[in-house]
Amino acid sequence: MNGNHTNLHMFSNAQDVQIHSGNFQINNVTNHTGEGAIKAGLNLLQERIAAGAFHDSEERFDPPKCHPRTREAVIEKIRGWVNDRSKQSYFMWLYGPAGAGKSAIAQTIAELCTEVEELAGSFFFSRNADDRNVETFFISTIVYQLTLSIPEIRPAVGLTMENDPKLLARSLKAQAKALITKPMNDLASTEQGRQVLHGRPRFIIVDGLDECRSAESQQYVLDVLAGIAKELTVPLYFLIASRPEQHIREAFADDPLLTLTVPLNLDDSYQPDADIKRFLESKFGDIRRKHPQKLYLPIPWPTEEDLTNLVNKSSGQFIYASTVAKYVESKKHSPPERLQIVFGLTTNPSKDSPFAELDALYKHIFKTVENIEKVTDVLNFLLLHPLPANTQKMATIGQYLFYKPGEIDLIVGDLHSIIAVPPPGDSDAELRFFHASMSDFLVDPARSEKFFIKQDEAYTKVLLLTLKHMRAPSDELDSKIVHETFTRCYSKANPTTELLKALYDFDIYEHFDARFSLGNGDSWGEVPRLLAWLKGKQHPDYEKDLLDYNLGNIERFLRAKLVPWPKGVAISLDLENSATPVGTLKFS
């Protein structure tokens, strides 16, 4: 020791160096250098990875992937982008609704790219795996795979981890900078290093981003990846697969991702119906060849009509077709009987549900919703279609529900994976379910459980809203929509005490007058139908039923329409002896 300076060479193989009040105590600690330090650092890295996130991990044994001869156009598009050496975009965002087959596509791409040594790494998020439903292990898992696919950065990564053993407790941005950006940029600082990197795999797949724990976490991961892409001298390329959740859509619609991303929407342009039919034909072909009951299957089975029905029910989403195939192929049951259960033509004597997998997905989505009551109000409109044709627009539904401008955007913000939500400013697009099977789910209490929608109660809610709009017309909502919605709903509603009370304030003269002046369909035919429905419906606070209560206004309306009114002619209503089920008007 010389003054305040210490000659550290004297401790070069010392172990457990401690200082007590200026005195050194040395106890058996090795100072790792060279290969030892690199190995020690890499060991630290391996302790903090989610091995189940690899595309070929044992944890993900038999993962979903594309059936042969399906999704060929989508796969070709992705492979073309991966192999395009002149591309300026660092990200491809593969998105589509729940059950569209995104993970199957990502898995297939991973396997194809692995075969030709194009895949540098992958991370398959999963809401059901503790180390894969958080962002905590994301960067460390990607880095571990990069040290295998780009072995030239392995020493730098190992030494960085050895020099800062707690690095993986820092932010994802700090981890990415220290373990990805710096090692790769250092390697690329020479011409030889750049050539090495250009010859190594640099394509990474991130699947199921929406299954990471929160919207904030998902946005954070995207922010970190965007930072990596901008800072690398020789870039990495990322396929991000997710549902089109609102916060993810917003991230890709804004810089820097907007200018760095190629979007790939799993919509009808990729002919999902044809692929789904091909998949079903193959699966049913396997059943006909391999099932223990194959000798007893009818011919033909399934029929062309059966296949068409299944394709239509799938609504372009592979999860429905896959769920049906798994259910019908059960070795312990008759395939034709199982298919009849799927179509609802026979009851299911066993406890297993044909749609257990699908229902679990729907229920998970609804459980993430903040305000399920308001969401249910919106779902009522999508389920019942009570509004006239071509008016099922998001803005119109919001107005009908008396929401503030833009409020409905917030309410459906968590439902982009099951509802086709138009982008902001698109006032002409209608809200609709992505899946035809969603309606079946919502009206079956055994399937939807606490999310079950009872249709007569839903019609009652819509009718109460309609009466409220009739009492206080809005300049924003077309009166034609209101009066036609009343006509479409009243006979299907449950005449609760609340609804009956509201109907006594209903101006039947104004309604009929509006229907005739607006030219809505069979205006004269509705008169006896509505009057027949009003007959016998009475609130306990009123002496007359709704028909008798409204007779004066009914006659006033008829006198106004039947001009000139013959002197001495009276009107009567025969609702019991009529040949029609709704009654007839008689003039005498």
Side-chain angles (χ1 to χ4, degrees):
M1 194 176 300
N2 183 10
N4 291 326
H5 299 281
T6 304
N7 185 350
L8 297 180
H9 294 291
M10 63 187 290
F11 302 115
S12 79
N13 285 311
Q15 302 186 5
D16 193 12
V17 180
Q18 300 180 21
I19 303 175
H20 299 282
S21 302
N23 297 317
F24 291 95
Q25 180 178 339
I26 304 173
N27 299 323
N28 212 23
V29 166
T30 301
N31 177 25
H32 292 296
T33 59
E35 289 296 325
I38 294 170
K39 184 176 180 180
L42 293 174
N43 285 338
L44 289 173
L45 177 67
Q46 292 180 45
E47 292 171 2
R48 292 277 292 174
I49 66 172
F54 304 159
H55 82 277
D56 55 357
S57 69
E58 178 63 26
E59 184 178 314
R60 297 186 64 249
F61 173 72
D62 195 22
K65 54 187 173 184
C66 298
H67 196 74
R69 297 177 56 240
T70 65
R71 295 302 202 186
E72 291 175 339
V74 178
I75 292 169
E76 183 180 351
K77 173 105 174 174
I78 298 172
R79 292 295 301 279
W81 175 77
V82 172
N83 294 317
D84 180 6
R85 300 301 179 188
S86 62
K87 61 179 175 285
Q88 300 298 309
S89 53
Y90 301 144
F91 297 90
M92 176 175 275
W93 180 34
L94 175 68
Y95 66 97
K102 299 177 294 297
S103 291
I105 293 171
Q107 178 68 30
T108 299
I109 292 293
E111 293 181 6
L112 291 173
C113 289
T114 298
E115 289 176 6
V116 293
E117 298 184 350
E118 291 174 347
L119 187 68
S122 60
F123 196 103
F124 282 72
F125 282 98
S126 172
R127 74 175 71 93
N128 299 317
D130 290 340
D131 57 352
R132 292 197 284 134
N133 60 12
V134 293
E135 75 279 14
T136 309
F137 306 100
F138 177 69
I139 290 297
S140 56
T141 304
I142 295 297
V143 170
Y144 170 79
Q145 294 171 87
L146 286 175
T147 63
L148 301 178
S149 56
I150 311 176
E152 290 79 11
I153 69 169
R154 193 179 304 163
V157 170
L159 288 173
T160 299
M161 285 297 304
E162 171 69 356
N163 291 333
D164 187 358
K166 297 298 182 183
L167 176 59
L168 298 183
R170 302 184 191 279
S171 69
L172 294 189
K173 285 188 176 181
Q175 295 176 39
K177 186 171 185 177
L179 298 173
I180 298 177
T181 307
K182 190 176 187 308
M184 288 188 64
N185 282 350
D186 286 349
L187 179 60
S189 62
T190 66
E191 181 61 31
Q192 182 181 2
R194 282 194 295 275
Q195 291 179 2
V196 168
L197 278 175
H198 281 294
R200 297 298 187 189
R202 289 176 287 121
F203 173 52
I204 295 172
I205 295 174
V206 180
D207 177 68
L209 178 61
D210 52 276
E211 299 201 22
C212 190
R213 61 178 171 178
S214 67
E216 292 76 18
S217 298
Q218 295 160 26
Q219 289 174 314
Y220 184 35
V221 168
L222 290 175
D223 189 36
V224 170
L225 293 179
I228 292 171
K230 287 192 301 180
E231 294 172 12
L232 283 175
T233 306
V234 177
L236 294 169
Y237 301 100
F238 298 89
L239 173 68
I240 312 290
S242 78
R243 299 174 192 162
E245 306 293 9
Q246 186 172 7
H247 53 278
I248 297 178
R249 294 202 324 186
E250 290 171 353
F252 280 106
D254 196 10
D255 283 329
L257 287 174
L258 176 62
T259 54
L260 299 174
T261 302
V262 174
L264 180 55
N265 183 9
L266 288 180
D267 57 18
D268 293 341
S269 62
Y270 289 98
Q271 300 180 318
D273 286 356
D275 283 344
I276 288 172
K277 185 175 182 181
R278 191 174 294 117
F279 166 80
L280 288 170
E281 287 173 339
S282 175
K283 286 295 185 181
F284 283 121
D286 288 342
I287 293 172
R288 288 194 299 268
R289 288 190 302 272
K290 302 174 184 178
H291 197 277
Q293 294 282 307
K294 62 185 179 183
L295 296 178
Y296 307 102
L297 296 178
I299 298 175
W301 181 88
T303 65
E304 190 65 26
E305 183 181 0
D306 291 338
L307 287 172
T308 300
N309 287 339
L310 290 175
V311 171
N312 291 339
K313 278 285 189 182
S314 297
S315 302
Q317 314 309 323
F318 268 83
I319 190 171
Y320 182 88
S322 174
T323 299
V324 168
K326 288 178 183 177
Y327 183 75
V328 174
E329 71 183 4
S330 169
K331 298 292 192 293
K332 298 180 179 179
H333 300 86
S334 163
E337 288 179 6
R338 300 283 270 192
L339 187 57
Q340 291 296 297
I341 292 171
V342 167
F343 288 138
L345 300 178
T346 60
T347 57
N348 183 6
S350 62
K351 293 182 178 180
D352 61 330
S353 167
F355 307 111
E357 183 180 349
L358 192 62
D359 295 347
L361 174 62
Y362 289 158
K363 283 185 275 192
H364 169 77
I365 292 169
F366 285 130
K367 285 175 183 176
T368 64
V369 168
E370 265 189 43
N371 192 330
I372 191 61
E373 289 185 9
K374 286 195 171 184
V375 163
T376 302
D377 289 339
V378 175
L379 294 178
N380 288 342
F381 282 84
L382 275 63
L383 176 67
L384 307 177
H385 293 280
L387 304 182
N390 303 318
T391 62
Q392 195 89 342
K393 301 173 183 177
M394 187 157 71
T396 305
I397 293 174
Q399 291 165 359
Y400 220 95
L401 289 164
F402 294 93
Y403 290 161
K404 301 173 186 174
E407 185 178 358
I408 192 169
D409 296 80
L410 301 176
I411 292 168
V412 300
D414 294 326
L415 299 175
H416 285 247
S417 58
I418 57 173
I419 295 176
V421 179
D426 187 356
S427 57
D428 293 329
E430 294 196 353
L431 280 180
R432 61 177 178 82
F433 289 133
F434 276 124
H435 310 133
S437 59
M438 175 57 69
S439 297
D440 297 336
F441 168 80
L442 289 172
V443 299
D444 186 340
R447 294 179 59 188
S448 49
E449 297 175 346
K450 66 179 180 179
F451 303 114
F452 166 62
I453 292 179
K454 195 173 181 181
Q455 292 186 73
D456 62 341
E457 293 179 359
Y459 276 112
T460 301
K461 281 187 176 183
V462 175
L463 194 56
L464 283 166
L465 290 167
T466 304
L467 293 169
K468 190 174 179 180
H469 281 292
M470 286 181 172
R471 291 194 298 272
S474 167
D475 293 336
E476 297 178 347
L477 196 59
D478 188 345
S479 63
K480 180 178 180 179
I481 294 175
V482 175
H483 286 279
E484 189 169 335
T485 301
F486 179 89
T487 299
R488 293 160 67 97
C489 290
Y490 71 81
S491 63
K492 302 169 186 174
N494 181 15
T496 62
T497 302
E498 181 184 10
L499 178 59
L500 291 174
K501 176 72 173 176
L503 283 167
Y504 279 90
D505 293 331
F506 166 54
D507 191 337
I508 199 169
Y509 180 95
E510 179 190 348
H511 172 61
F512 283 145
D513 187 58
R515 289 278 291 161
F516 274 78
S517 62
L518 294 169
N520 293 42
D522 181 17
S523 300
W524 273 115
E526 191 201 343
V527 175
R529 283 195 294 269
L530 176 56
L531 301 185
W533 185 80
L534 293 174
K535 182 177 175 62
K537 292 181 173 61
Q538 184 172 354
H539 188 279
D541 293 344
Y542 292 79
E543 293 181 0
K544 297 180 178 180
D545 71 7
L546 283 165
L547 177 60
D548 288 340
Y549 189 83
N550 281 283
L551 279 179
N553 279 330
I554 295 168
E555 183 170 341
R556 183 164 64 92
F557 166 74
L558 292 174
R559 285 181 179 276
K561 290 297 176 187
L562 298 176
V563 177
W565 187 266
K567 187 175 181 181
V569 172
I571 176 177
S572 64
L573 188 65
D574 185 355
L575 299 175
E576 295 177 356
N577 301 317
S578 168
T580 66
V582 294
T584 57
L585 290 171
K586 288 185 175 182
F587 302 93
S588 57

